[in-house]
Amino acid sequence: PAGRRAREAVRARLGARVGERVGAALDMAERIRPADAAVWLVGYGITWIVLGMAFPLLVQSFVPQAAGHARALAGALVASYLAGFLTLIPAGLGIRETALVALLAQVPAVPVAAALVVAVASRVWFTLGEVARLALVPLAGRSNRAQRRTAPGPPADGAEP
């Protein structure tokens, strides 16, 4: 199929090592069901809406005069996040903050020094949020194991129920 041809073309262009990694990602993407992708898309959409509403509040906690610029502040966050995603640097470290400072400094109510403080505070905010979610992973694993132990299995003698 087309997916196989795409993987082979990627592997040929990028070389064996990088091509294999990208090819593995393409293989995994092929196994994603459209319904699951739709659920994730809606979830990510909701996440970005919440972030777009929360980030201006973070900025306003440092710069109260920025209250009337919520759309510009949310847009700065999204654009800086995208800049971080597009780099090869892990987590966009430094790139996202630089872009955020540059974009926030364009908002009339936000001085450059405050933009720098907000950029660092947002990195801390995002990092703490990610660590908090990771702390929940062992709990989810325990819940899944408990469900498997209590799930009814086939009868011991092999007879139909």
Side-chain angles (χ1 to χ4, degrees), residues 84-102:
F85 275 139
L86 295 176
T87 65
L88 297 177
I89 297 170
L93 190 60
I95 303 299
R96 188 169 75 196
E97 290 77 18
T98 302
L100 188 56
V101 169

Side-chain angles (χ1 to χ4, degrees), residues 47-71:
T47 299
W48 280 104
I49 289 169
V50 170
L51 284 173
M53 294 182 333
F55 184 71
L57 297 174
L58 176 71
V59 175
Q60 290 170 36
S61 70
F62 292 100
V63 186
Q65 305 87 329
H69 303 281
R71 281 193 284 177

Side-chain angles (χ1 to χ4, degrees), residues 13-80:
R13 278 193 171 240
L14 297 178
R17 187 171 162 199
V18 175
E20 284 300 317
R21 289 182 180 171
V22 173
L26 290 172
D27 288 340
M28 185 173 26
E30 230 173 53
R31 293 188 303 263
I32 297 172
R33 295 186 322 216
D36 292 339
V39 169
W40 281 99
L41 182 64
V42 168
Y44 276 117
I46 291 169
T47 299
W48 280 104
I49 289 169
V50 170
L51 284 173
M53 294 182 333
F55 184 71
L57 297 174
L58 176 71
V59 175
Q60 290 170 36
S61 70
F62 292 100
V63 186
Q65 305 87 329
H69 303 281
R71 281 193 284 177
L73 300 173
L77 173 70
V78 172
S80 67

